[in-house]
Amino acid sequence: SLLLNLSTVQPSNLPPKKMKNIVVFLGAPGAGKGTAAAAVAARTGARHVSTGAMLRDAVARGTPAGLEAKSYMEAGGLVPDEVLYRMVAELLAATPDGATLFFDGFPRNEAQAAKLDELAAASGATVASALLLDVSREALLERLGGRRVCPKCGAGFHVKSLPPKVEGVCDACGAELVTRVDDQPATIAHRLEVYESATAPVVGFYEKAGKLRRIDATGTPEDVAKAVEAQV
């Protein structure tokens, strides 16, 4: 009879699993994190995970954390960190080995950054790097303050970088363009203050860990996407 040599099937002789890689996108409102992450994800096959998209996906799939988050959202409240953490854990568990995830909008503070490391380790993943899209405050104010949106079809414009053919009028449907509430001057100032006080310290967290990569994001979206792609 043939004897099975068990030593040949021990875990030590099996090829190691490929780690799941997480790249965190950092930057102030208006820095272009979502635009760059989406563009590079499309080119590289990575998955772009914005916090909002993750919430909507979990709710749509009816995951345990998604259903709990839905109850908070329907009541008009914020989704607690503990629920958000369970959603991240569900996402990582469902991600195949060797895949790359671009996290956009999470983590937002040092506590969340530390928790992400913990969740990653538990699911065979690692935070490979954190990309800081660097833009001056003056440029951010110009970007955010110049945005216009169509209330009818949702098309977006910018008074300088992407103006409509007719000033104040949507190219797609002809409706009058408006400035979003969160793009009003007072709201912009508040959003930047919140970023500086809560989210900016995350930069120090990843810098201390040796994972921070700074990217000049003052160029065109294509220039920024190329710089990001070179880092991932």
Side-chain angles (χ1 to χ4, degrees):
S1 61
L2 296 176
L3 295 177
L4 177 63
N5 184 355
L6 294 179
S7 66
T8 63
V9 294
Q10 292 301 309
S12 59
N13 292 326
L14 296 175
K17 288 184 176 181
K18 292 184 178 180
M19 294 289 284
K20 307 168 190 178
N21 290 310
I22 298 170
V23 177
V24 173
F25 281 68
L26 302 173
K33 301 183 295 296
T35 300
V40 179
R43 295 177 183 178
T44 62
R47 181 176 178 183
H48 176 203
V49 182
S50 69
T51 305
M54 182 173 63
L55 281 165
R56 291 189 294 273
D57 178 63
V59 170
R61 289 190 295 117
T63 70
L67 293 174
E68 187 171 352
K70 183 180 180 181
S71 66
Y72 286 100
M73 294 161 69
E74 289 180 341
L78 294 175
V79 177
D81 276 358
E82 288 305 317
V83 177
L84 190 60
Y85 295 156
R86 290 201 292 277
M87 293 174 66
V88 172
E90 289 173 349
L91 172 67
L92 292 176
T95 299
D97 294 332
T100 296
L101 299 172
F102 291 166
F103 272 56
D104 165 21
F106 179 88
R108 289 184 178 274
N109 54 52
E110 289 181 271
Q112 290 184 353
K115 187 65 177 182
L116 178 57
D117 279 347
E118 180 185 320
L119 294 171
S123 66
T126 183
V127 178
S129 60
L131 308 182
L132 173 62
L133 274 62
D134 234 341
V135 184
S136 69
R137 185 180 179 87
E138 292 73 20
L140 290 172
L141 290 172
E142 181 180 294
R143 285 184 184 181
L144 295 171
R147 294 198 300 198
R148 300 292 183 268
V149 66
C150 176
K152 186 176 180 180
C153 71
F157 300 88
H158 191 280
V159 294
K160 287 190 175 181
S161 61
L162 189 62
K165 294 175 181 177
V166 177
E167 184 177 353
V169 178
C170 177
D171 291 350
C173 69
E176 184 177 351
L177 300 178
V178 299
T179 301
R180 298 190 319 180
V181 174
D182 56 355
D183 285 339
Q184 299 289 348
T187 308
I188 292 172
H190 176 68
R191 291 170 66 193
L192 293 178
E193 287 172 6
V194 170
Y195 168 75
E196 289 296 335
S197 63
T199 308
V202 180
V203 172
F205 177 92
Y206 287 115
E207 191 165 36
K208 186 176 180 180
K211 296 182 177 181
L212 187 70
R213 308 288 183 269
R214 294 178 183 272
I215 293 175
D216 182 358
T218 56
T220 66
E222 178 61 21
D223 290 337
V224 176
K226 287 181 178 178
V228 167
E229 190 171 0
Q231 292 290 344
V232 299

